[in-house]
Amino acid sequence: MYERLRVDRSTTVDRVVDALRAALFAGDLEPGTPLREQPLAEALGVARSTIREAMTMLVTEGLAVREPNKGVSVAILHPDAVADICRARFVLESAGIRAWYDADEAARERVREAMRVFAATARDGADPEALTETHLAIHRSLVALTGSERLIATADSITGEARLALARVDALRQDARQQVASHRKLVRLLERGELDECVEELRRHLAGAEESLLEAIAMPPA
């Protein structure tokens, strides 16, 4: 009875969302930039209805905002949101740290591998977007130690908001070596089983991240 059912796992809307999301995360579309249906449809070679659906998805993810009589624009990350994001990240990532001994070996290995990839990316002098991607993979792997898909999805959603400014943070910092050393310290404390110390190091780490995010969003666009 189900023989004729089919699912297109990658729709045009999904691909448009991916393209827009990449532009947002790379900083090509600055916070507050209007997202106009017609120019976007022409640039991407799709129907305006596809753009409308894609923008609705971005609004749902918190990456864009829709205002009456103004349309849709790239979301602006406000200082109070930065503080809340960092608080939420601490709760999720510290839960992962606490779960280190309960996590399976595959989950622990993903933390180590994420650290290796980040270090290699920084060593190769990658662009800020690539640094951000590999940097965040470490933090995602910490949450994944909980073994909870729902917590991982929550972390992805929270991080998505922050990514509007994170590439800019990495471009401003110009301190990839220091960032690698900071993350290595977190992983080293995990490996030693010094979980309380690791949680405190995470607290300091995210406090620094909050300060950098606030600095990034306060700077006018280049």
Side-chain angles (χ1 to χ4, degrees):
M1 124 176 126
Y2 301 124
E3 291 80 5
R4 298 183 63 183
L5 290 178
R6 296 288 184 274
V7 174
D8 181 355
R9 296 184 181 276
S10 180
T11 67
T12 302
V13 174
D14 292 331
R15 292 192 290 274
V16 169
V17 170
D18 287 343
L20 291 174
R21 199 186 284 121
L24 295 177
F25 293 162
D28 296 335
L29 295 172
E30 291 282 349
T33 302
L35 298 175
R36 306 296 187 198
E37 285 182 16
Q38 188 60 40
L40 284 172
E42 291 173 358
L44 294 170
V46 298
R48 290 182 64 174
S49 59
T50 300
I51 296 295
R52 278 196 295 274
E53 287 185 62
M55 290 197 294
T56 296
M57 292 176 68
L58 292 177
V59 170
T60 301
E61 293 177 10
L63 298 177
V65 293
R66 191 188 305 275
E67 297 181 81
N69 303 318
K70 289 186 177 181
V72 179
S73 59
V74 179
I76 297 173
L77 193 60
H78 295 286
D80 56 346
V82 169
D84 196 35
I85 285 167
C86 290
R87 280 194 297 269
R89 286 183 61 191
F90 177 76
V91 170
L92 293 169
E93 293 176 30
S94 62
I97 290 170
R98 298 290 188 196
W100 176 255
Y101 286 122
D102 295 324
D104 59 34
E105 184 56 27
R108 290 194 287 266
E109 182 56 31
R110 281 192 289 273
V111 175
R112 300 176 188 117
E113 177 61 16
M115 183 66 247
R116 287 192 289 267
V117 172
F118 178 49
T121 303
R123 186 172 57 248
D124 294 342
D127 61 68
E129 187 180 359
L131 277 174
T132 298
E133 189 73 35
T134 54
H135 166 202
L136 290 177
I138 298 175
H139 292 276
R140 190 179 195 273
S141 72
L142 293 179
V143 180
L145 291 167
T146 64
S148 169
E149 293 297 331
R150 288 173 176 81
L151 291 182
I152 295 169
T154 301
D156 287 343
S157 175
I158 291 167
T159 302
E161 293 183 67
R163 282 200 61 173
L164 290 172
L166 279 171
R168 199 171 195 190
V169 167
D170 284 326
L172 289 170
R173 278 175 170 167
Q174 297 290 319
D175 63 348
R177 285 187 180 180
Q178 183 179 333
Q179 287 303 304
V180 169
S182 174
H183 288 80
R184 275 196 174 129
K185 184 175 183 180
L186 279 171
V187 176
R188 188 164 58 246
L189 289 169
L190 271 177
E191 295 278 18
R192 290 175 180 170
E194 299 174 11
L195 304 189
D196 289 341
E197 292 82 352
C198 190
V199 168
E200 287 309 306
E201 181 63 25
L202 176 68
R203 191 189 303 276
R204 289 189 289 271
H205 182 91
L206 291 177
E210 180 177 345
E211 183 178 333
S212 295
L213 280 167
L214 290 172
E215 178 186 355
I217 65 176
M219 290 190 67

